[in-house]
Amino acid sequence: TPPILDGYHNFKGTTGTTSKSGAGLYIHDHLNPVPRNNLSFKYYEKDKEEFESIWIEITSDHNPNAIIASIYRHPSQSNEKFLSQLEKTLSKVKKEKNKLIILTGDFNQNLLKYGDDSTVNKSLNPMTENNYQPCITGSTRMVYLNTHIKIPMI
């Protein structure tokens, strides 16, 4: 169970099939979150593929609304259904006008290999084709001796 944080709405999120999986967001109390269930997705196929997301919209009277996603793709052998679902969802989001769109999450891929690894290219291309830019440009996790990888997508 996610912890309760003072000053924040109750945790909004999904659970995966393991204790280390799922996607979620904590939203500060002064913000007005609206669940965007029409954008959220969850998929599980044993030993093949698993992913989930949660999307919310923060409404504002004085600024453009913000749509925020938390997306998690489990490490797996395939990500074809994930990419298909992500592309469908991004095409829906593209129709939203005058809103700030923020994608966050963990795709469980070494994004530093973009350009050199076709699987990573396929994962990032839907974002770059829709004009989303990664904000994290360096390694975020060190695995093995001095091997740096970039896992999250923000």
Side-chain angles (χ1 to χ4, degrees):
T1 305
I4 296 172
L5 300 178
D6 288 337
Y8 288 81
H9 292 275
N10 289 338
F11 178 81
K12 309 271 189 237
T14 67
T15 56
T17 58
T18 70
S19 63
K20 297 179 182 178
S21 60
L25 297 165
Y26 282 99
I27 309 298
H28 200 276
D29 277 342
H30 80 277
L31 299 173
N32 301 311
V34 176
R36 291 296 304 265
N37 297 328
N38 63 318
L39 301 173
S40 296
F41 52 80
K42 185 171 182 169
Y43 179 83
Y44 173 71
E45 185 176 347
K46 186 176 172 122
D47 298 327
K48 296 211 177 193
E49 199 166 359
E50 184 173 358
F51 52 84
E52 57 258 354
S53 73
I54 181 167
W55 295 70
I56 57 120
E57 184 166 348
I58 303 294
T59 60
S60 174
D61 294 332
H62 307 292
N63 296 303
N65 288 0
I67 296 176
I68 304 170
S70 175
I71 303 167
Y72 182 74
R73 186 189 78 82
H74 297 250
S76 63
Q77 297 134 350
S78 168
N79 69 348
E80 296 305 316
K81 289 183 179 156
F82 169 72
L83 293 176
S84 174
Q85 181 62 55
L86 183 62
E87 287 172 9
K88 285 182 211 172
T89 304
L90 291 177
S91 71
K92 288 181 192 176
V93 172
K94 195 174 193 175
K95 296 174 186 171
E96 302 279 346
K97 300 296 180 204
N98 301 317
K99 295 181 182 177
L100 174 65
I101 311 298
I102 302 170
L103 304 177
T104 68
D106 186 347
F107 289 11
N108 272 302
Q109 292 181 341
N110 185 351
L111 302 181
L112 293 176
K113 291 186 176 181
Y114 183 71
D116 298 327
D117 183 317
S118 64
T119 303
V120 173
N121 295 348
K122 286 180 186 177
S123 294
L124 278 179
N125 285 344
M127 268 73 76
T128 58
E129 289 168 1
N130 285 286
N131 297 318
Y132 296 109
Q133 291 292 116
C135 294
I136 298 173
T137 57
S139 61
T140 58
R141 194 180 295 176
M142 195 165 113
V143 203
Y144 307 115
L145 295 173
N146 294 321
T147 302
H148 298 274
I149 60 175
K150 178 181 163 191
I151 297 288
M153 171 58 132
I154 298 180

